[in-house]
Amino acid sequence: MANTFTLSVPDMSCGHCRASIDKALAPLAAKPDFDMEHRRVTVSGDAPEPAVIAALDAIGFPAERV
């Protein structure tokens, strides 16, 4: 069952951040869509929100639902 949610990721600021987040979410089959200006990531796929937030936290990008 696919879902979509948007997370605020205040520490995300550059292309390197984006690449790190892409890499962290790939094993979860989560598809991120980035809004770098507002530092938000909209995630779609089957990954549960808590797992996505935990994956981001593990790489130093604390996130919370918008």
Side-chain angles (χ1 to χ4, degrees):
M1 178 169 148
N3 56 37
T4 301
F5 51 90
T6 301
L7 301 173
S8 171
V9 188
D11 295 338
M12 177 181 72
S13 62
C14 66
H16 181 265
C17 299
R18 181 180 175 150
S20 296
I21 291 169
D22 266 331
K23 185 176 179 180
L25 297 185
L28 300 174
K31 298 175 184 89
D33 181 37
F34 295 90
D35 176 352
M36 298 300 286
E37 180 181 352
H38 296 103
R39 297 182 183 201
R40 293 183 175 175
V41 179
T42 300
V43 181
S44 59
D46 294 331
E49 183 179 334
V52 171
I53 290 173
L56 294 179
D57 191 50
I59 62 165
F61 291 99
E64 63 182 28
R65 188 167 191 147
V66 176

